[in-house]
């Protein structure tokens, strides 16, 4: 795997996302199987003329299979707390495709997996943040021949939310539960210094179903012409302040 510029990944994993966009894509089949993808588009950040990025002339096209990573580091993982092991285990079926081209001012990251039942999905955004820490540290080249454990800086802190997906009797839902309000507040406090820069950042859901949508809980969603897809977009700051803003309940035709 190609080595990544630590500078580029530090920008992303630190969430200094100036005008960057997150998209959560879900394609649901009739039998409840499907595919989930979370995309991070950092192209606007690249266009800001970051001198260090331009000078490096990075051109990266890389794939990380998390199942392989977990197998490679299983000894280190076994020494972590049960909470941390469970957090890493959630990445098992994901793959991440990263494309960075400094000359074209392009930065795109897709993390995705196929699922057998939509109810097995959880907080995809939290999983993505975990994956970015792993990815950034895993590709840091240690100096002086030293060894490096990409897990050593992974903290146990998460966003304090639980996201559940369900598809039963023609009805689909994505519901967020606030399980630790203090952690949600800490997440917002950590972004306070970058609030101004995050003002134009967005978080978008784009969900596609096997049949037409006949009822939708959100009045902010827009629909495809065939009524089988919807898009719901909110400001990133809005999403961080109120994770439940992306809760949706959808009813499909019989």
């Amino acid at each position: 795997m190609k080595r990544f510029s630590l500078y580029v990944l530090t920008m992303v994993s630190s969430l200094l996302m100036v005008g960057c966009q997150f998209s959560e894509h879900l394609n649901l089949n009739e039998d409840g199987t499907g595919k989930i993808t979370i995309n991070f588009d950092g192209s606007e950040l690249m266009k800001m003329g970051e001198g260090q990025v331009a000078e490096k002339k990075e051109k990266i096209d890389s794939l990380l299979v998390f199942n392989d990573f977990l197998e490679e580091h299983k000894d280190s993982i076994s020494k972590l707390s049960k909470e941390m092991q469970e957090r890493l285990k959630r990445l098992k079926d994901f793959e991440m495709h990263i494309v960075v081209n400094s000359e074209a001012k392009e930065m795109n990251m897709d993390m995705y997996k196929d699922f057998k039942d939509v109810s097995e999905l959880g907080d995809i955004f939290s999983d993505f943040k975990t994956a970015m820490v792993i990815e950034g540290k895993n590709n840091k080249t240690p100096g002086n021949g030293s060894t490096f454990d990409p897990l050593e800086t992974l903290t146990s802190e998460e966003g304090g939310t639980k996201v559940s997906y369900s598809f039963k009797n023609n009805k689909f839902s994505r519901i967020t539960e606030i399980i630790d309000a203090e952690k949600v507040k800490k997440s917002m406090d950590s972004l306070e210094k970058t609030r101004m820069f995050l003002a134009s950042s967005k978080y978008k859901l784009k969900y596609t179903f096997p049949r037409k949508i006949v009822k939708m809980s959100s009045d902010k969603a827009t629909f495809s012409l065939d009524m089988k897809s919807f898009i719901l977009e909110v400001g990133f700051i809005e999403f961080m302040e109120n994770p439940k803003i992306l809760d949706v309940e959808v009813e499909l035709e019989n």
Side-chain angles (χ1 to χ4, degrees):
M1 183 184 293
K2 296 181 180 179
R3 293 292 179 181
F4 287 82
S5 159
L6 181 59
Y7 179 79
V8 173
L9 284 167
T10 298
M11 288 192 299
V12 178
S13 60
S14 298
L15 297 182
L16 298 179
M17 301 168 291
V18 183
C20 299
Q21 314 302 325
F22 283 98
S23 299
E24 185 180 310
H25 298 257
L26 183 142
N27 287 279
L28 187 65
N29 300 320
E30 189 67 55
D31 61 358
T33 64
K35 182 176 182 178
I36 186 78
T37 302
I38 182 167
N39 169 264
F40 169 75
D41 183 354
S43 299
E44 289 301 315
L45 181 60
M46 300 289 282
K47 292 175 183 177
M48 289 190 66
E50 295 285 351
Q52 288 173 292
V53 176
E55 289 173 7
K56 289 180 180 293
K57 294 185 178 180
E58 293 278 6
K59 194 170 184 180
I60 298 160
D61 190 333
S62 183
L63 178 69
L64 176 63
V65 179
F66 283 101
N67 188 47
D68 294 344
F69 172 88
L70 296 176
E71 178 63 26
E72 180 183 352
H73 295 277
K74 61 183 180 182
D75 291 339
S76 296
I77 292 172
S78 67
K79 299 174 184 177
L80 299 174
S81 67
K82 289 184 178 180
E83 179 184 356
M84 290 301 303
Q85 290 185 49
E86 184 61 31
R87 183 176 167 187
L88 291 167
K89 185 180 177 181
R90 295 204 306 259
L91 299 178
K92 179 179 179 295
D93 297 321
F94 280 104
E95 296 182 3
M96 178 178 279
H97 182 211
I98 302 182
V99 176
V100 178
N101 187 325
S102 61
E103 291 184 306
K105 302 296 186 292
E106 178 184 10
M107 180 191 290
N108 262 289
M109 305 182 186
D110 288 294
M111 190 175 86
Y112 50 85
K113 76 170 183 176
D114 295 321
F115 56 84
K116 295 180 179 180
D117 189 324
V118 71
S119 64
E120 74 186 45
L121 301 179
D123 193 332
I124 305 301
F125 183 62
S126 178
D127 293 341
F128 181 80
K129 289 190 290 183
T130 301
M132 282 310 305
V133 174
I134 295 296
E135 184 61 34
K137 299 302 181 182
N138 189 44
N139 285 283
K140 178 181 177 181
T141 305
N144 302 320
S146 62
T147 58
F148 180 78
D149 184 352
L151 299 171
E152 64 185 9
T153 57
L154 189 62
T155 70
S156 60
E157 287 296 314
E158 291 196 84
T161 60
K162 178 182 178 181
V163 181
S164 301
Y165 297 77
S166 175
F167 181 49
K168 295 179 180 178
N169 302 320
N170 295 327
K171 294 182 179 180
F172 169 89
S173 65
R174 177 195 190 278
I175 303 298
T176 306
E177 179 185 357
I178 306 297
I179 57 177
D180 192 326
E182 186 61 30
K183 283 187 178 181
V184 174
K185 183 179 183 301
K186 283 183 179 180
S187 294
M188 276 308 303
D189 291 344
S190 68
L191 292 176
E192 195 60 38
K193 293 181 180 179
T194 57
R195 176 180 286 269
M196 179 177 66
F197 302 106
L198 291 166
S200 62
S201 296
K202 305 291 184 182
Y203 197 105
K204 178 170 67 177
L205 303 184
K206 182 177 181 181
Y207 289 1
T208 300
F209 301 95
R211 282 173 275 127
K212 290 183 179 180
I213 299 168
V214 296
K215 188 181 292 185
M216 170 70 172
S217 61
S218 174
D219 59 3
K220 296 181 180 180
T222 58
F223 302 91
S224 61
L225 291 176
D226 64 5
M227 292 298 293
K228 291 184 178 181
S229 301
F230 78 81
I231 292 176
L232 177 59
E233 183 176 271
V234 301
F236 185 77
I237 290 294
E238 291 179 272
F239 168 59
M240 293 300 291
E241 289 178 331
N242 177 23
K244 292 182 67 64
I245 198 172
L246 290 178
D247 284 3
V248 294
E249 294 182 77
V250 178
E251 184 176 339
L252 305 182
E253 67 177 359
N254 292 321

